[in-house]
PDB file of all heavy atoms in Angstrom:
ATOM      1  N   GLY I   1       0.833  -1.233  -0.010  1.00 93.00           N
ATOM      2  CA  GLY I   1       0.048  -0.010   0.038  1.00 93.00           C
ATOM      3  C   GLY I   1       0.877   1.263  -0.045  1.00 93.00           C
ATOM      4  O   GLY I   1       1.970   1.242  -0.559  1.00 93.00           O
ATOM      5  N   GLU I   2       0.367   2.325   0.687  1.00 93.00           N
ATOM      6  CA  GLU I   2       1.055   3.584   0.695  1.00 93.00           C
ATOM      7  C   GLU I   2       1.337   3.984   2.164  1.00 93.00           C
ATOM      8  O   GLU I   2       0.488   3.755   3.025  1.00 93.00           O
ATOM      9  CB  GLU I   2       0.186   4.681   0.054  1.00 93.00           C
ATOM     10  CG  GLU I   2      -0.003   4.492  -1.459  1.00 93.00           C
ATOM     11  CD  GLU I   2      -0.863   5.548  -2.025  1.00 93.00           C
ATOM     12  OE1 GLU I   2      -1.582   6.226  -1.313  1.00 93.00           O
ATOM     13  OE2 GLU I   2      -0.722   5.853  -3.225  1.00 93.00           O
ATOM     14  N   THR I   3       2.481   4.610   2.370  1.00 94.00           N
ATOM     15  CA  THR I   3       2.835   5.140   3.623  1.00 94.00           C
ATOM     16  C   THR I   3       2.792   6.697   3.459  1.00 94.00           C
ATOM     17  O   THR I   3       3.508   7.175   2.611  1.00 94.00           O
ATOM     18  CB  THR I   3       4.239   4.702   4.142  1.00 94.00           C
ATOM     19  OG1 THR I   3       4.256   3.290   4.293  1.00 94.00           O
ATOM     20  CG2 THR I   3       4.606   5.373   5.415  1.00 94.00           C
ATOM     21  N   VAL I   4       2.032   7.391   4.197  1.00 94.00           N
ATOM     22  CA  VAL I   4       1.822   8.809   4.123  1.00 94.00           C
ATOM     23  C   VAL I   4       2.739   9.553   5.207  1.00 94.00           C
ATOM     24  O   VAL I   4       2.631   9.208   6.393  1.00 94.00           O
ATOM     25  CB  VAL I   4       0.385   9.219   4.317  1.00 94.00           C
ATOM     26  CG1 VAL I   4       0.215  10.727   4.257  1.00 94.00           C
ATOM     27  CG2 VAL I   4      -0.560   8.531   3.330  1.00 94.00           C
ATOM     28  N   VAL I   5       3.599  10.427   4.641  1.00 95.00           N
ATOM     29  CA  VAL I   5       4.449  11.142   5.598  1.00 95.00           C
ATOM     30  C   VAL I   5       4.231  12.663   5.449  1.00 95.00           C
ATOM     31  O   VAL I   5       4.504  13.212   4.378  1.00 95.00           O
ATOM     32  CB  VAL I   5       5.897  10.805   5.299  1.00 95.00           C
ATOM     33  CG1 VAL I   5       6.865  11.566   6.130  1.00 95.00           C
ATOM     34  CG2 VAL I   5       6.154   9.304   5.290  1.00 95.00           C
ATOM     35  N   ALA I   6       3.703  13.250   6.500  1.00 94.00           N
ATOM     36  CA  ALA I   6       3.484  14.737   6.461  1.00 94.00           C
ATOM     37  C   ALA I   6       4.741  15.392   7.023  1.00 94.00           C
ATOM     38  O   ALA I   6       5.305  14.953   7.979  1.00 94.00           O
ATOM     39  CB  ALA I   6       2.276  15.097   7.367  1.00 94.00           C
ATOM     40  N   LEU I   7       5.096  16.530   6.437  1.00 94.00           N
ATOM     41  CA  LEU I   7       6.272  17.260   6.742  1.00 94.00           C
ATOM     42  C   LEU I   7       5.935  18.698   7.048  1.00 94.00           C
ATOM     43  O   LEU I   7       5.133  19.273   6.282  1.00 94.00           O
ATOM     44  CB  LEU I   7       7.386  17.192   5.687  1.00 94.00           C
ATOM     45  CG  LEU I   7       7.808  15.768   5.322  1.00 94.00           C
ATOM     46  CD1 LEU I   7       8.626  15.835   3.982  1.00 94.00           C
ATOM     47  CD2 LEU I   7       8.724  15.226   6.404  1.00 94.00           C
ATOM     48  N   GLY I   8       6.480  19.313   8.096  1.00 92.00           N
ATOM     49  CA  GLY I   8       6.295  20.626   8.355  1.00 92.00           C
ATOM     50  C   GLY I   8       7.523  21.483   8.415  1.00 92.00           C
ATOM     51  O   GLY I   8       8.605  21.003   8.831  1.00 92.00           O
ATOM     52  N   LEU I   9       7.430  22.650   7.768  1.00 90.00           N
ATOM     53  CA  LEU I   9       8.669  23.552   7.645  1.00 90.00           C
ATOM     54  C   LEU I   9       8.397  24.853   8.372  1.00 90.00           C
ATOM     55  O   LEU I   9       7.246  25.328   8.414  1.00 90.00           O
ATOM     56  CB  LEU I   9       9.023  23.799   6.178  1.00 90.00           C
ATOM     57  CG  LEU I   9       9.416  22.600   5.317  1.00 90.00           C
ATOM     58  CD1 LEU I   9       9.741  23.092   3.921  1.00 90.00           C
ATOM     59  CD2 LEU I   9      10.490  21.846   5.890  1.00 90.00           C
ATOM     60  N   GLN I  10       9.488  25.409   8.903  1.00 88.00           N
ATOM     61  CA  GLN I  10       9.392  26.716   9.419  1.00 88.00           C
ATOM     62  C   GLN I  10      10.374  27.650   8.663  1.00 88.00           C
ATOM     63  O   GLN I  10      11.402  27.237   8.277  1.00 88.00           O
ATOM     64  CB  GLN I  10       9.777  26.743  10.914  1.00 88.00           C
ATOM     65  CG  GLN I  10       8.759  26.090  11.813  1.00 88.00           C
ATOM     66  CD  GLN I  10       9.108  26.253  13.277  1.00 88.00           C
ATOM     67  OE1 GLN I  10      10.144  26.943  13.581  1.00 88.00           O
ATOM     68  NE2 GLN I  10       8.391  25.649  14.198  1.00 88.00           N
ATOM     69  N   THR I  11      10.025  28.901   8.529  1.00 84.00           N
ATOM     70  CA  THR I  11      10.932  29.854   7.875  1.00 84.00           C
ATOM     71  C   THR I  11      12.109  30.052   8.732  1.00 84.00           C
ATOM     72  O   THR I  11      12.070  29.858   9.974  1.00 84.00           O
ATOM     73  CB  THR I  11      10.258  31.217   7.553  1.00 84.00           C
ATOM     74  OG1 THR I  11       9.633  31.644   8.807  1.00 84.00           O
ATOM     75  CG2 THR I  11       9.166  30.995   6.525  1.00 84.00           C
ATOM     76  N   VAL I  12      13.243  30.446   8.083  1.00 83.00           N
ATOM     77  CA  VAL I  12      14.453  30.550   8.906  1.00 83.00           C
ATOM     78  C   VAL I  12      14.411  31.731   9.825  1.00 83.00           C
ATOM     79  O   VAL I  12      15.275  31.925  10.739  1.00 83.00           O
ATOM     80  CB  VAL I  12      15.694  30.718   7.952  1.00 83.00           C
ATOM     81  CG1 VAL I  12      15.895  29.432   7.155  1.00 83.00           C
ATOM     82  CG2 VAL I  12      15.507  31.956   7.007  1.00 83.00           C
ATOM     83  N   ASP I  13      13.444  32.731   9.689  1.00 82.00           N
ATOM     84  CA  ASP I  13      13.312  33.843  10.526  1.00 82.00           C
ATOM     85  C   ASP I  13      11.814  34.231  10.647  1.00 82.00           C
ATOM     86  O   ASP I  13      11.094  34.038   9.689  1.00 82.00           O
ATOM     87  CB  ASP I  13      14.125  35.028  10.042  1.00 82.00           C
ATOM     88  CG  ASP I  13      14.258  36.159  11.083  1.00 82.00           C
ATOM     89  OD1 ASP I  13      13.245  36.897  11.281  1.00 82.00           O
ATOM     90  OD2 ASP I  13      15.356  36.221  11.675  1.00 82.00           O
ATOM     91  N   LYS I  14      11.347  34.706  11.738  1.00 83.00           N
ATOM     92  CA  LYS I  14       9.943  34.974  12.046  1.00 83.00           C
ATOM     93  C   LYS I  14       9.496  36.129  11.043  1.00 83.00           C
ATOM     94  O   LYS I  14       8.324  36.314  10.870  1.00 83.00           O
ATOM     95  CB  LYS I  14       9.712  35.321  13.413  1.00 83.00           C
ATOM     96  CG  LYS I  14      10.418  36.547  13.943  1.00 83.00           C
ATOM     97  CD  LYS I  14      10.088  36.812  15.360  1.00 83.00           C
ATOM     98  CE  LYS I  14      10.765  38.058  15.955  1.00 83.00           C
ATOM     99  NZ  LYS I  14      10.509  38.212  17.386  1.00 83.00           N
ATOM    100  N   LEU I  15      10.413  36.916  10.577  1.00 85.00           N
ATOM    101  CA  LEU I  15      10.038  38.041   9.670  1.00 85.00           C
ATOM    102  C   LEU I  15       9.740  37.557   8.333  1.00 85.00           C
ATOM    103  O   LEU I  15       9.181  38.214   7.468  1.00 85.00           O
ATOM    104  CB  LEU I  15      11.211  39.059   9.597  1.00 85.00           C
ATOM    105  CG  LEU I  15      11.521  39.805  10.862  1.00 85.00           C
ATOM    106  CD1 LEU I  15      12.609  40.870  10.614  1.00 85.00           C
ATOM    107  CD2 LEU I  15      10.220  40.671  11.302  1.00 85.00           C
ATOM    108  N   ILE I  16      10.183  36.286   7.940  1.00 83.00           N
ATOM    109  CA  ILE I  16       9.997  35.758   6.556  1.00 83.00           C
ATOM    110  C   ILE I  16       8.718  34.963   6.541  1.00 83.00           C
ATOM    111  O   ILE I  16       8.494  34.068   7.393  1.00 83.00           O
ATOM    112  CB  ILE I  16      11.165  34.861   6.164  1.00 83.00           C
ATOM    113  CG1 ILE I  16      12.493  35.712   6.125  1.00 83.00           C
ATOM    114  CG2 ILE I  16      10.980  34.242   4.794  1.00 83.00           C
ATOM    115  CD1 ILE I  16      13.697  34.891   5.770  1.00 83.00           C
ATOM    116  N   VAL I  17       7.842  35.253   5.613  1.00 84.00           N
ATOM    117  CA  VAL I  17       6.634  34.575   5.399  1.00 84.00           C
ATOM    118  C   VAL I  17       6.409  34.251   3.981  1.00 84.00           C
ATOM    119  O   VAL I  17       7.044  34.774   3.093  1.00 84.00           O
ATOM    120  CB  VAL I  17       5.385  35.426   5.903  1.00 84.00           C
ATOM    121  CG1 VAL I  17       5.485  35.784   7.425  1.00 84.00           C
ATOM    122  CG2 VAL I  17       5.229  36.747   5.040  1.00 84.00           C
ATOM    123  N   GLU I  18       5.547  33.265   3.717  1.00 82.00           N
ATOM    124  CA  GLU I  18       5.204  33.007   2.295  1.00 82.00           C
ATOM    125  C   GLU I  18       3.814  33.304   2.039  1.00 82.00           C
ATOM    126  O   GLU I  18       2.873  32.943   2.675  1.00 82.00           O
ATOM    127  CB  GLU I  18       5.406  31.456   2.004  1.00 82.00           C
ATOM    128  CG  GLU I  18       5.145  31.070   0.578  1.00 82.00           C
ATOM    129  CD  GLU I  18       5.555  29.683   0.154  1.00 82.00           C
ATOM    130  OE1 GLU I  18       6.188  29.024   1.053  1.00 82.00           O
ATOM    131  OE2 GLU I  18       5.321  29.266  -0.957  1.00 82.00           O
ATOM    132  N   GLU I  19       3.599  34.200   0.950  1.00 79.00           N
ATOM    133  CA  GLU I  19       2.258  34.664   0.537  1.00 79.00           C
ATOM    134  C   GLU I  19       2.119  34.468  -0.923  1.00 79.00           C
ATOM    135  O   GLU I  19       2.928  34.893  -1.724  1.00 79.00           O
ATOM    136  CB  GLU I  19       1.994  36.091   0.936  1.00 79.00           C
ATOM    137  CG  GLU I  19       1.939  36.321   2.442  1.00 79.00           C
ATOM    138  CD  GLU I  19       1.750  37.832   2.686  1.00 79.00           C
ATOM    139  OE1 GLU I  19       1.713  38.667   1.771  1.00 79.00           O
ATOM    140  OE2 GLU I  19       1.576  38.091   3.897  1.00 79.00           O
ATOM    141  N   GLY I  20       1.125  33.748  -1.344  1.00 75.00           N
ATOM    142  CA  GLY I  20       0.858  33.482  -2.789  1.00 75.00           C
ATOM    143  C   GLY I  20       2.068  32.892  -3.502  1.00 75.00           C
ATOM    144  O   GLY I  20       2.365  33.168  -4.696  1.00 75.00           O
ATOM    145  N   GLY I  21       2.777  31.952  -2.764  1.00 77.00           N
ATOM    146  CA  GLY I  21       3.967  31.331  -3.387  1.00 77.00           C
ATOM    147  C   GLY I  21       5.177  32.186  -3.403  1.00 77.00           C
ATOM    148  O   GLY I  21       6.222  31.724  -3.948  1.00 77.00           O
ATOM    149  N   LEU I  22       5.237  33.332  -2.856  1.00 83.00           N
ATOM    150  CA  LEU I  22       6.356  34.265  -2.754  1.00 83.00           C
ATOM    151  C   LEU I  22       6.822  34.391  -1.345  1.00 83.00           C
ATOM    152  O   LEU I  22       6.006  34.463  -0.417  1.00 83.00           O
ATOM    153  CB  LEU I  22       6.034  35.551  -3.389  1.00 83.00           C
ATOM    154  CG  LEU I  22       5.637  35.640  -4.856  1.00 83.00           C
ATOM    155  CD1 LEU I  22       5.239  37.103  -5.179  1.00 83.00           C
ATOM    156  CD2 LEU I  22       6.759  35.188  -5.694  1.00 83.00           C
ATOM    157  N   LEU I  23       8.177  34.319  -1.151  1.00 85.00           N
ATOM    158  CA  LEU I  23       8.701  34.584   0.199  1.00 85.00           C
ATOM    159  C   LEU I  23       8.907  36.109   0.342  1.00 85.00           C
ATOM    160  O   LEU I  23       9.386  36.799  -0.503  1.00 85.00           O
ATOM    161  CB  LEU I  23      10.085  34.043   0.262  1.00 85.00           C
ATOM    162  CG  LEU I  23      10.144  32.510   0.516  1.00 85.00           C
ATOM    163  CD1 LEU I  23      11.577  31.978   0.588  1.00 85.00           C
ATOM    164  CD2 LEU I  23       9.385  32.067   1.855  1.00 85.00           C
ATOM    165  N   LYS I  24       8.331  36.636   1.498  1.00 87.00           N
ATOM    166  CA  LYS I  24       8.367  38.126   1.727  1.00 87.00           C
ATOM    167  C   LYS I  24       8.850  38.372   3.150  1.00 87.00           C
ATOM    168  O   LYS I  24       8.858  37.518   4.076  1.00 87.00           O
ATOM    169  CB  LYS I  24       6.968  38.686   1.592  1.00 87.00           C
ATOM    170  CG  LYS I  24       6.379  38.528   0.184  1.00 87.00           C
ATOM    171  CD  LYS I  24       4.945  39.105   0.132  1.00 87.00           C
ATOM    172  CE  LYS I  24       4.300  38.944  -1.203  1.00 87.00           C
ATOM    173  NZ  LYS I  24       2.947  39.596  -1.282  1.00 87.00           N
ATOM    174  N   ILE I  25       9.541  39.580   3.301  1.00 88.00           N
ATOM    175  CA  ILE I  25       9.883  40.033   4.615  1.00 88.00           C
ATOM    176  C   ILE I  25       8.690  40.850   5.097  1.00 88.00           C
ATOM    177  O   ILE I  25       8.303  41.866   4.582  1.00 88.00           O
ATOM    178  CB  ILE I  25      11.154  40.890   4.539  1.00 88.00           C
ATOM    179  CG1 ILE I  25      12.291  40.111   3.880  1.00 88.00           C
ATOM    180  CG2 ILE I  25      11.547  41.347   5.953  1.00 88.00           C
ATOM    181  CD1 ILE I  25      13.544  40.930   3.617  1.00 88.00           C
ATOM    182  N   LYS I  26       8.229  40.445   6.270  1.00 87.00           N
ATOM    183  CA  LYS I  26       7.056  41.045   6.806  1.00 87.00           C
ATOM    184  C   LYS I  26       7.452  41.883   8.078  1.00 87.00           C
ATOM    185  O   LYS I  26       7.800  41.368   9.053  1.00 87.00           O
ATOM    186  CB  LYS I  26       6.012  39.961   7.307  1.00 87.00           C
ATOM    187  CG  LYS I  26       4.538  40.461   7.303  1.00 87.00           C
ATOM    188  CD  LYS I  26       4.084  40.669   5.902  1.00 87.00           C
ATOM    189  CE  LYS I  26       2.530  40.886   5.902  1.00 87.00           C
ATOM    190  NZ  LYS I  26       2.071  41.137   4.543  1.00 87.00           N
ATOM    191  N   ILE I  27       7.347  43.221   7.883  1.00 87.00           N
ATOM    192  CA  ILE I  27       7.599  44.158   8.979  1.00 87.00           C
ATOM    193  C   ILE I  27       6.375  44.982   9.246  1.00 87.00           C
ATOM    194  O   ILE I  27       5.351  44.801   8.518  1.00 87.00           O
ATOM    195  CB  ILE I  27       8.843  45.072   8.641  1.00 87.00           C
ATOM    196  CG1 ILE I  27       8.557  45.815   7.346  1.00 87.00           C
ATOM    197  CG2 ILE I  27      10.042  44.224   8.518  1.00 87.00           C
ATOM    198  CD1 ILE I  27       9.675  46.826   7.033  1.00 87.00           C
ATOM    199  N   GLY I  28       6.421  45.924  10.142  1.00 82.00           N
ATOM    200  CA  GLY I  28       5.314  46.772  10.427  1.00 82.00           C
ATOM    201  C   GLY I  28       5.028  47.766   9.228  1.00 82.00           C
ATOM    202  O   GLY I  28       5.913  47.868   8.305  1.00 82.00           O
ATOM    203  N   ILE I  29       3.993  48.404   9.238  1.00 78.00           N
ATOM    204  CA  ILE I  29       3.627  49.363   8.141  1.00 78.00           C
ATOM    205  C   ILE I  29       4.617  50.550   8.132  1.00 78.00           C
ATOM    206  O   ILE I  29       5.040  51.042   9.072  1.00 78.00           O
ATOM    207  CB  ILE I  29       2.179  49.937   8.401  1.00 78.00           C
ATOM    208  CG1 ILE I  29       1.175  48.800   8.324  1.00 78.00           C
ATOM    209  CG2 ILE I  29       1.854  50.964   7.326  1.00 78.00           C
ATOM    210  CD1 ILE I  29      -0.228  49.213   8.748  1.00 78.00           C
ATOM    211  N   ILE I  30       5.027  50.816   6.842  1.00 81.00           N
ATOM    212  CA  ILE I  30       5.885  51.913   6.656  1.00 81.00           C
ATOM    213  C   ILE I  30       5.023  53.208   6.362  1.00 81.00           C
ATOM    214  O   ILE I  30       4.380  53.246   5.365  1.00 81.00           O
ATOM    215  CB  ILE I  30       6.835  51.701   5.406  1.00 81.00           C
ATOM    216  CG1 ILE I  30       7.609  50.321   5.627  1.00 81.00           C
ATOM    217  CG2 ILE I  30       7.805  52.834   5.191  1.00 81.00           C
ATOM    218  CD1 ILE I  30       8.545  50.393   6.773  1.00 81.00           C
ATOM    219  N   TYR I  31       5.046  54.082   7.331  1.00 72.00           N
ATOM    220  CA  TYR I  31       4.172  55.348   7.197  1.00 72.00           C
ATOM    221  C   TYR I  31       5.006  56.464   6.522  1.00 72.00           C
ATOM    222  O   TYR I  31       6.141  56.620   6.774  1.00 72.00           O
ATOM    223  CB  TYR I  31       3.693  55.836   8.530  1.00 72.00           C
ATOM    224  CG  TYR I  31       2.754  54.919   9.183  1.00 72.00           C
ATOM    225  CD1 TYR I  31       3.029  54.023  10.234  1.00 72.00           C
ATOM    226  CD2 TYR I  31       1.420  54.916   8.715  1.00 72.00           C
ATOM    227  CE1 TYR I  31       2.118  53.228  10.772  1.00 72.00           C
ATOM    228  CE2 TYR I  31       0.419  54.082   9.320  1.00 72.00           C
ATOM    229  CZ  TYR I  31       0.777  53.165  10.313  1.00 72.00           C
ATOM    230  OH  TYR I  31      -0.119  52.351  10.861  1.00 72.00           O
ATOM    231  N   PHE I  32       4.274  57.177   5.654  1.00 72.00           N
ATOM    232  CA  PHE I  32       4.725  58.369   4.954  1.00 72.00           C
ATOM    233  C   PHE I  32       3.942  59.492   5.256  1.00 72.00           C
ATOM    234  O   PHE I  32       2.727  59.334   5.393  1.00 72.00           O
ATOM    235  CB  PHE I  32       4.935  58.193   3.517  1.00 72.00           C
ATOM    236  CG  PHE I  32       5.961  57.157   3.088  1.00 72.00           C
ATOM    237  CD1 PHE I  32       5.630  55.798   2.936  1.00 72.00           C
ATOM    238  CD2 PHE I  32       7.312  57.563   2.842  1.00 72.00           C
ATOM    239  CE1 PHE I  32       6.571  54.846   2.589  1.00 72.00           C
ATOM    240  CE2 PHE I  32       8.176  56.671   2.420  1.00 72.00           C
ATOM    241  CZ  PHE I  32       7.833  55.252   2.327  1.00 72.00           C
ATOM    242  N   ASP I  33       4.510  60.756   5.382  1.00 69.00           N
ATOM    243  CA  ASP I  33       3.602  61.903   5.566  1.00 69.00           C
ATOM    244  C   ASP I  33       2.770  62.120   4.265  1.00 69.00           C
ATOM    245  O   ASP I  33       3.196  61.635   3.222  1.00 69.00           O
ATOM    246  CB  ASP I  33       4.479  63.081   5.882  1.00 69.00           C
ATOM    247  CG  ASP I  33       5.054  63.144   7.238  1.00 69.00           C
ATOM    248  OD1 ASP I  33       4.469  62.434   8.116  1.00 69.00           O
ATOM    249  OD2 ASP I  33       6.117  63.761   7.432  1.00 69.00           O
ATOM    250  N   LEU I  34       1.771  62.843   4.408  1.00 65.00           N
ATOM    251  CA  LEU I  34       0.825  63.090   3.246  1.00 65.00           C
ATOM    252  C   LEU I  34       1.619  63.713   2.146  1.00 65.00           C
ATOM    253  O   LEU I  34       2.296  64.634   2.262  1.00 65.00           O
ATOM    254  CB  LEU I  34      -0.321  63.982   3.667  1.00 65.00           C
ATOM    255  CG  LEU I  34      -1.379  64.242   2.617  1.00 65.00           C
ATOM    256  CD1 LEU I  34      -2.113  63.014   2.268  1.00 65.00           C
ATOM    257  CD2 LEU I  34      -2.321  65.377   3.103  1.00 65.00           C
ATOM    258  N   ASP I  35       1.486  62.974   0.990  1.00 73.00           N
ATOM    259  CA  ASP I  35       2.121  63.432  -0.301  1.00 73.00           C
ATOM    260  C   ASP I  35       3.617  63.474  -0.179  1.00 73.00           C
ATOM    261  O   ASP I  35       4.253  64.121  -1.045  1.00 73.00           O
ATOM    262  CB  ASP I  35       1.562  64.824  -0.665  1.00 73.00           C
ATOM    263  CG  ASP I  35       0.124  64.827  -0.985  1.00 73.00           C
ATOM    264  OD1 ASP I  35      -0.485  63.684  -1.412  1.00 73.00           O
ATOM    265  OD2 ASP I  35      -0.525  65.824  -0.979  1.00 73.00           O
ATOM    266  N   LYS I  36       4.233  62.780   0.815  1.00 77.00           N
ATOM    267  CA  LYS I  36       5.684  62.838   0.917  1.00 77.00           C
ATOM    268  C   LYS I  36       6.234  61.448   0.736  1.00 77.00           C
ATOM    269  O   LYS I  36       5.537  60.424   0.746  1.00 77.00           O
ATOM    270  CB  LYS I  36       6.107  63.327   2.316  1.00 77.00           C
ATOM    271  CG  LYS I  36       5.557  64.666   2.660  1.00 77.00           C
ATOM    272  CD  LYS I  36       6.092  65.815   1.754  1.00 77.00           C
ATOM    273  CE  LYS I  36       5.562  67.151   2.184  1.00 77.00           C
ATOM    274  NZ  LYS I  36       6.085  68.205   1.235  1.00 77.00           N
ATOM    275  N   SER I  37       7.558  61.409   0.458  1.00 79.00           N
ATOM    276  CA  SER I  37       8.213  60.078   0.205  1.00 79.00           C
ATOM    277  C   SER I  37       9.488  59.958   0.959  1.00 79.00           C
ATOM    278  O   SER I  37      10.178  58.895   0.907  1.00 79.00           O
ATOM    279  CB  SER I  37       8.522  59.931  -1.280  1.00 79.00           C
ATOM    280  OG  SER I  37       9.466  61.001  -1.663  1.00 79.00           O
ATOM    281  N   TYR I  38       9.809  60.900   1.930  1.00 84.00           N
ATOM    282  CA  TYR I  38      10.988  60.693   2.663  1.00 84.00           C
ATOM    283  C   TYR I  38      10.694  59.744   3.854  1.00 84.00           C
ATOM    284  O   TYR I  38       9.483  59.457   4.238  1.00 84.00           O
ATOM    285  CB  TYR I  38      11.517  61.998   3.293  1.00 84.00           C
ATOM    286  CG  TYR I  38      10.603  62.718   4.285  1.00 84.00           C
ATOM    287  CD1 TYR I  38      10.662  62.420   5.635  1.00 84.00           C
ATOM    288  CD2 TYR I  38       9.672  63.658   3.791  1.00 84.00           C
ATOM    289  CE1 TYR I  38       9.863  63.023   6.531  1.00 84.00           C
ATOM    290  CE2 TYR I  38       8.847  64.295   4.721  1.00 84.00           C
ATOM    291  CZ  TYR I  38       8.894  63.958   6.055  1.00 84.00           C
ATOM    292  OH  TYR I  38       8.064  64.614   6.924  1.00 84.00           O
ATOM    293  N   ILE I  39      11.773  59.090   4.364  1.00 86.00           N
ATOM    294  CA  ILE I  39      11.637  58.078   5.476  1.00 86.00           C
ATOM    295  C   ILE I  39      11.513  58.732   6.784  1.00 86.00           C
ATOM    296  O   ILE I  39      12.506  59.437   7.238  1.00 86.00           O
ATOM    297  CB  ILE I  39      12.835  57.078   5.386  1.00 86.00           C
ATOM    298  CG1 ILE I  39      12.968  56.488   4.053  1.00 86.00           C
ATOM    299  CG2 ILE I  39      12.675  56.022   6.483  1.00 86.00           C
ATOM    300  CD1 ILE I  39      11.747  55.724   3.550  1.00 86.00           C
TER     301      ILE I  39
END
């Protein structure tokens, strides 16, 4: 018959997540002043 083996993975850092098949760095929201682009 068949032997079923489930495997679980963790990202190498808690900031790294997978969304829609893409690995992304997930941080807090980057706010900008109204109509501005400086950090």
Side-chain angles (χ1 to χ4, degrees):
E2 295 180 334
T3 299
V4 179
V5 181
L7 299 166
L9 297 182
Q10 290 187 4
T11 55
V12 294
D13 193 282
K14 64 181 181 179
L15 293 179
I16 299 175
V17 299
E18 183 169 354
E19 293 180 354
L22 298 175
L23 284 179
K24 299 179 181 180
I25 302 173
K26 207 70 170 178
I27 58 175
I29 298 173
I30 305 299
Y31 290 103
F32 292 89
D33 288 336
L34 183 65
D35 295 336
K36 303 297 183 182
S37 59
Y38 65 86
I39 303 300

